[in-house]
Amino acid sequence: MAVPPAYSDLGKSAKDLFSKGFGYGVLKLDVKTKSVNGVEFATSGSNNTDTGKSAGHLETKYKLKDLGLSFSHKWNTDNILTTEITMEDQLAQGLKLGLDTSFVPNTGKKSAKLKTSYKRDYLNLGCDLDFDMAGPTIHTAAVLGYEGWLAGYQMAFDTAKSTLMKNNFALGYKAGDFQLHTSVNDGTEFGGSIYQKVNSNLETAVNLAWTAGSNNTRFGLGAKYQLDKDSSLSAKVNDALLVGVGYTQTLRPGVKLTLSALIDGKNVHGGGHKMGLGFDVEA
């Protein structure tokens, strides 16, 4: 049995079909480069076509593979500086330790989070400690896997208020090109998804969600079709008849173009539809 995924990655294949390849309402540019000494640079800029607000970020990352260390520094246009240091597979095989800090020069606000994770066959554990002056918040998660079956639990506890902020359960099954995922969040939010890779070119997914005490069931259908080795078409629709369409084209090695649109199926002639354009450049 391989190492099971982290709790946040349960049902990821279905989630990706409903999120990747869609960027309507935004004009976005992502650029990734790597220097000769191994330093990775990532920059991105975006403009929201509805509000006109622009945003961007810069990230640098460097790894010391012999020591299992990686260093990451980020800055964004909200003037938030973050630094993350991680060490993996040094104290024990499968153990990862990390320290994530952030600083806002304009306000002087500081925050820090200690991250730990441990993974091996049949087991994936995680525990994060979010520091706060009033008292830390503890985030823990565990996933067990056996013969394709996956069971997970996630919780968050505010030590200052002695309050359980998050109490989530998940159960799933993964076999080859088929994945089933179900979840219960805080005993009130229920969800589920099914992912199926029909063949080498076609992927499909269905998701469902409902809230306790409500008769309203939310659902969505999604699919991705690989037209050829350089292009793909994605589509999705939900119970509100919002239809999303995305087209991704690799223009040349390292350069990818994404076009997407969101159409209100209940009001096709009324306007209000959204378009999106994205460029990804990697060198």
Side-chain angles (χ1 to χ4, degrees), residues 53-124:
K53 182 179 179 181
S54 297
H57 91 274
L58 169 66
E59 177 182 0
T60 62
K61 184 181 292 186
Y62 183 67
K63 296 181 180 180
L64 297 174
K65 295 183 179 180
D66 294 340
L67 300 176
L69 291 171
S70 66
F71 304 86
S72 175
H73 304 279
K74 300 178 184 179
W75 172 87
N76 62 29
T77 47
D78 292 327
N79 205 22
I80 299 176
L81 304 173
T82 62
T83 299
E84 184 174 4
I85 303 172
T86 60
M87 180 174 64
E88 190 169 4
D89 296 332
Q90 296 300 302
L91 301 180
Q93 189 67 29
L95 178 64
K96 183 177 181 180
L97 304 174
L99 177 64
D100 192 351
T101 64
S102 69
F103 174 61
V104 184
N106 294 342
T107 63
K109 182 180 179 181
K110 302 175 184 178
S111 65
K113 180 181 288 188
L114 180 63
K115 301 179 178 181
T116 62
S117 64
Y118 178 69
K119 55 186 179 182
R120 55 172 298 170
D121 288 349
Y122 309 107
L123 180 66
N124 195 322

Side-chain angles (χ1 to χ4, degrees), residues 230-251:
D230 293 325
S231 61
S232 64
L233 182 65
S234 300
K236 62 180 179 179
V237 61
N238 63 15
D239 57 289
L241 286 183
L242 293 175
V243 181
V245 180
Y247 174 76
T248 302
Q249 174 74 49
T250 300
L251 302 178

Side-chain angles (χ1 to χ4, degrees), residues 187-199:
T188 58
E189 294 288 337
F190 299 84
S193 67
I194 297 175
Y195 167 85
Q196 175 74 54
K197 187 169 184 178
V198 180
N199 54 47

Side-chain angles (χ1 to χ4, degrees), residues 28-32 42-45 57 254 256 278-282:
K28 189 174 182 181
L29 173 65
D30 291 305
V31 180
K32 294 181 181 180
T43 60
S44 74
H57 91 274
K256 185 170 66 174
F279 268 106
D280 291 276
V281 180
E282 187 170 352

